């Protein structure tokens, strides 16, 4: 089966972002960009499905500026066979991305689409579910285990209080949680090979998708800072402070 | 303008997250209705009708809704959505699963994990793991929203006198099927509802050592949490994880033991009223947010703390 894996270019998870002084956005000029960590897990899972002989082809897709090619190449270095970039300089929100991905899915006809559960920049946790709704496919979000069984896929999901297992009819959408797998590091030979893999570029216009944002960001501010605390010398002082100063125990 | 809140429940008990979501809905200054979709949910409907500020409870009861499958629940919400200007879900695993499906079918943007209501179209929400707060305005006619429950004080579970109305339940989509569920049994309070949380990190060193937190938790009536490092290392089950990708908590007292304080962890707990850090590394970032910090070896400090309580 063909597996589609959408990947997003985001600020590297180790970067502590700062809010711009004019409060219009966070300042991401000159910061390190990477593939969203949950998407790496998605690429890894697709690659493992291919190694098991379940998947035959993996297509990595990214939507955004031309530099998103770097993230598609990273996905290829892990195991994707080819890439599709939907290139636009527009500010993309999850609904627009879901519509772009639907158009790509209509073209590519994959049996499985694996996405990350959320991107670590907008923290929206929407795109996979929206894509499933637009395609009319079943979804299994926050997956920690995926087993393809004939024309169905069995997915164990992380829910509040434990785990649940669902069986979905293919084609289906899966979004990855952290414990699904440990993504491999791309080796140098794989990175070199990835440069030769095909990468197709499309545009929202060519796909007939209106990507205009529905939410406007009025301002972006720093979260309220916490008052600086104190260090206590021993447990007795700590308990005393909690009882008599903070009055929380 | 009427607001619909989707109830969080397990078919027998109305979950506390619903009360926080009703609190957010109440800030919109309009009538609040609650949808209870499930199987055999009479007790849940009765509980929802008693919630302060709720005017009407809609009940959809069928086998198709028994297991909270997103495909079916989203269809159910869409069936009643026409009458509402705002549809609010708690930002729980269940709410996050279903809400975007509803939004996409309505062709509207979803506003995730709001932490404040500015007006009927404008909301605040954290981005970049809580390192920035965005104020966003929606241009859509209908708003589909998930509510960060720790940002809104729960409304009273009693005092309401809502009418209960049964609505036609949707048919099963046939797209997905429930297989099984493993719920971790715990005598402790639920993490997101606990007023005190004792959390452990990589510093605990093993699953065996993690139990050192139990004594303190028992004395304080606290829930036990964990950092991602502790969960990934197998010291604690993943539903205890506090952070950007786990649960977001805001208890009265959060005690972080052997947790360095990565930004992803801080995103899940920095709205706690009082934060205590116990760590042997005086430079650990957790001390930057802790009200009270104790630089000490946790293996001596935690038993001492248990004794002192």
């Amino acid at each position: 089966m063909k597996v589609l894996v959408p990947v997003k270019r985001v600020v590297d998870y180790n970067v502590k972002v700062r809010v711009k002084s004019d409060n219009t956005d966070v300042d991401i000029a000159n910061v390190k960009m990477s593939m969203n960590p949950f998407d790496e897990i998605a690429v890894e899972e697709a690659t493992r499905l291919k190694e098991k002989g379940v998947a035959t082809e993996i297509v990595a897709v990214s939507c955004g500026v031309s530099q998103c090619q770097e993230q598609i190449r990273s996905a290829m270095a892990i195991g994707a066979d080819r890439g599709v970039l939907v290139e636009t300089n527009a500010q993309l929100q999850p609904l627009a991305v879901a519509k772009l991905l639907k158009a790509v899915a209509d073209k590519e006809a994959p049996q499985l689409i694996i996405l990350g559960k959320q991107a670590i920049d907008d923290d929206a946790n929407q795109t996979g579910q929206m894509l499933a709704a637009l395609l009319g496919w079943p979804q299994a979000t926050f997956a920690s285990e995926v087993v393809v069984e004939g024309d169905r896929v069995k997915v164990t999901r992380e829910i509040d209080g434990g785990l649940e297992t669902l069986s979905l009819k293919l084609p289906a959408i899966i979004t990855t949680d952290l414990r699904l797998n440990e993504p491999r590091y791309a080796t140098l030979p794989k990175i070199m090979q990835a440069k030769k893999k095909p990468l197709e570029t499309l545009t929202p216009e060519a796909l007939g998708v209106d990507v205009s944002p529905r939410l406007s960001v009025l301002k972006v501010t720093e979260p309220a800072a916490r008052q600086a605390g104190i260090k206590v010398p021993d447990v007795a002082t700590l308990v005393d402070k909690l009882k008599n100063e903070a009055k929380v125990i | 303008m009427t607001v619909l809140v989707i109830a969080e429940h397990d078919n027998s008990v109305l979950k506390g997250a619903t009360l926080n979501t009703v609190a957010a809905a109440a800030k919109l200054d309009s009538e609040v209705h609650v949808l209870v979709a499930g199987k055999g949910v009479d007790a849940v409907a009765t509980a929802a009708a008693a919630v302060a500020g709720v005017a009407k409870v809609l009940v959809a009861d069928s086998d198709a809704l028994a297991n909270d499958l997103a495909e079916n629940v989203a269809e159910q919400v869409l069936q009643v959505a026409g009458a509402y200007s705002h549809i609010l879900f708690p930002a729980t695993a269940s709410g996050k699963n279903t809400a975007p499906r509803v939004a996409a079918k309505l062709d509207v943007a979803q506003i995730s994990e709001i932490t404040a209501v500015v007006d009927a179209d404008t909301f605040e929400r954290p981005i970049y793991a809580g390192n920035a707060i965005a104020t966003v305005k929606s241009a859509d006619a209908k708003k589909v929203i998930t509510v960060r429950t720790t940002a809104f004080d729960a409304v009273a579970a009693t005092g309401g006198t809502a009418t209960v109305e049964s609505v036609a339940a949707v048919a099963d989509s046939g797209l997905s099927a429930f297989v099984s569920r493993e719920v971790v049994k715990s005598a402790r309070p639920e993490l997101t509802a606990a007023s005190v949380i004792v959390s452990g990190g990589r510093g605990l060193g093993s699953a065996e050592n993690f139990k050192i937190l139990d004594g303190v938790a028992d004395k304080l009536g606290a829930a036990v949490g964990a950092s991602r490092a502790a969960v990934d290392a197998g010291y604690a089950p993943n539903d205890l994880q506090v952070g950007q990708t786990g649960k977001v908590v805001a208890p009265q007292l959060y005690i972080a033991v052997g947790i360095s304080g990565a930004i992803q962890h801080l995103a899940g707990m920095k709205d706690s009223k009082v934060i205590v850090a116990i760590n042997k590394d005086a430079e650990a970032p957790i001390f930057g947010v802790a009200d009270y910090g104790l630089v000490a070896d946790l293996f001596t400090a935690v038993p001492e703390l248990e004794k002192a309580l």
Side-chain angles (χ1 to χ4, degrees):
Chain A
M1 66 163 78
K2 188 193 276 190
V3 182
L4 201 67
V5 187
V7 297
K8 185 176 185 184
R9 175 183 174 87
V10 297
V11 170
D12 189 87
Y13 73 98
N14 283 313
V15 174
K16 189 172 191 307
V17 296
R18 303 253 170 239
V19 172
K20 283 185 187 169
S21 53
D22 64 359
N23 291 124
T24 52
D25 203 348
V26 294
D27 189 0
I28 58 165
N30 305 317
V31 305
K32 187 184 176 205
M33 304 294 281
S34 297
M35 192 196 304
N36 180 43
F38 291 102
D39 303 350
E40 283 190 354
I41 296 171
V43 179
E44 174 67 32
E45 194 63 21
T47 306
R48 290 186 189 190
L49 287 175
K50 194 175 174 197
E51 286 164 350
K52 281 184 204 147
V54 176
T56 48
E57 188 185 28
I58 303 168
V59 184
V61 194
S62 193
C63 304
V65 294
S66 64
Q67 289 91 329
C68 294
Q69 285 186 26
E70 293 166 19
Q71 280 62 47
I72 296 175
R73 294 288 174 203
S74 303
M76 290 170 169
I78 296 173
D81 297 293
R82 57 189 177 87
V84 176
L85 170 64
V86 183
E87 191 174 335
T88 170
N89 289 320
Q91 279 286 345
L92 294 178
Q93 292 176 351
L95 183 61
V97 174
K99 288 179 179 178
L100 292 172
L101 293 175
K102 179 187 185 290
V104 174
D106 286 343
K107 257 168 67 101
E108 297 279 349
Q111 283 292 96
L112 198 58
I113 304 179
I114 311 180
L115 307 88
K117 79 163 174 182
Q118 77 188 60
I120 60 166
D121 50 2
D122 63 13
D123 286 334
N125 193 335
Q126 301 174 9
T127 307
Q129 296 90 315
M130 287 183 154
L131 179 58
L134 296 177
L135 287 165
W137 292 4
Q139 68 186 47
T141 50
F142 325 144
S144 59
E145 197 186 345
V146 173
V147 184
V148 176
E149 298 172 329
D151 63 348
R152 299 187 79 90
V153 57
K154 203 160 95 179
V155 184
T156 303
R157 312 176 51 230
E158 298 194 0
I159 56 169
D160 294 334
L163 298 170
E164 77 173 18
T165 304
L166 302 179
S167 167
L168 311 183
K169 204 164 128 188
L170 293 172
I173 302 278
I174 293 171
T175 75
T176 64
D177 215 322
L178 280 170
R179 273 155 294 274
L180 180 58
N181 61 47
E182 184 91 22
R184 70 195 68 182
Y185 285 102
T187 58
L188 188 59
K190 295 269 188 197
I191 293 170
M192 299 310 287
Q193 279 170 21
K195 291 187 179 174
K196 299 201 183 79
K197 291 183 180 175
L199 200 165
E200 180 188 3
T201 301
L202 301 167
T203 62
E205 296 72 35
L207 293 168
V209 176
D210 171 16
V211 295
S212 46
R214 304 296 189 82
L215 298 179
S216 47
V217 177
L218 303 185
K219 63 177 177 186
V220 175
T221 52
E222 295 271 359
R226 287 190 75 93
Q227 292 278 324
I230 56 161
K231 291 236 171 85
V232 293
D234 51 41
V235 168
T237 318
L238 174 63
V239 172
D240 177 63
K241 295 272 188 201
L242 290 177
K243 275 193 177 135
N244 301 315
E245 197 175 273
K247 296 187 173 43
V248 285
I249 57 172
Chain B
M1 197 171 90
T2 318
V3 181
L4 182 67
V5 169
I6 313 304
E8 170 101 358
H9 65 86
D10 62 2
N11 288 330
S12 51
V13 178
L14 182 73
K15 294 286 177 71
T18 314
L19 304 178
N20 305 92
T21 311
V22 170
K27 296 209 186 293
L28 292 161
D29 288 328
S30 46
E31 203 171 295
V32 178
H33 294 182
V34 173
L35 172 67
V36 177
K39 168 73 184 165
V41 288
D42 290 349
V44 180
T46 308
V51 172
V54 175
K56 194 199 273 187
V57 176
L58 307 177
V59 182
D61 198 316
S62 85
D63 288 335
L65 299 167
N67 289 304
D68 201 26
L69 296 173
E71 295 79 9
N72 295 342
V73 178
E75 275 310 313
Q76 187 66 54
V77 175
L78 289 166
Q79 194 149 96
V80 298
Y84 299 97
S85 60
H86 295 70
I87 303 172
L88 274 62
F89 293 75
T92 54
S94 167
K96 290 180 195 174
N97 189 31
T98 307
R101 231 181 138 98
V102 173
K105 289 267 171 93
L106 292 169
D107 193 28
V108 303
Q110 182 199 297
I111 310 152
S112 294
E113 301 228 15
I114 62 161
T115 51
V117 174
V118 178
D119 61 41
D121 305 314
T122 316
F123 307 89
E124 288 181 15
R125 58 175 306 262
I127 53 175
Y128 289 91
N131 284 306
I133 307 295
T135 304
V136 296
K137 190 179 169 77
S138 165
D140 290 315
K142 258 187 215 309
K143 274 70 167 170
V144 175
I145 294 167
T146 63
V147 175
R148 179 167 286 191
T149 54
T150 57
F152 297 89
D153 291 330
V155 296
T158 55
T161 49
T163 53
V164 177
E165 185 182 305
S166 185
V167 296
V170 293
D172 185 21
S173 71
L175 293 170
S176 66
F178 173 80
V179 177
S180 63
R181 187 172 294 141
E182 255 178 79
V183 176
V184 179
K185 294 229 163 30
S186 170
R188 299 185 195 286
E190 210 185 342
L191 203 47
T192 50
S195 64
V196 181
I197 295 173
V198 183
S199 240
R202 203 199 303 269
L204 270 302
S206 72
E208 201 52 40
N209 290 344
F210 209 84
K211 298 200 181 86
I212 195 175
L213 302 180
D214 290 354
V216 174
D218 285 341
K219 288 223 166 152
L220 293 169
V224 172
S227 70
R228 185 187 160 191
V231 171
D232 282 354
Y235 305 167
N238 59 42
D239 58 304
L240 297 191
Q241 185 182 320
V242 172
Q244 184 187 17
T245 57
K247 296 206 169 76
V248 178
V249 299
Q252 291 288 304
L253 173 60
Y254 187 91
I255 305 179
V257 179
I259 292 176
S260 64
I263 51 174
Q264 292 83 358
H265 185 74
L266 301 183
M269 48 64 83
K270 66 184 168 53
D271 293 327
S272 306
K273 183 160 174 273
V274 174
I275 297 173
V276 170
I278 301 175
N279 203 303
K280 64 181 174 195
D281 175 9
E283 305 300 317
I286 190 79
F287 288 117
V289 300
D291 299 281
Y292 302 107
L294 176 62
V295 181
D297 181 5
L298 67 94
F299 294 106
T300 46
V302 172
E304 260 185 67
L305 178 61
E306 185 183 340
K307 217 175 294 165
L309 289 169

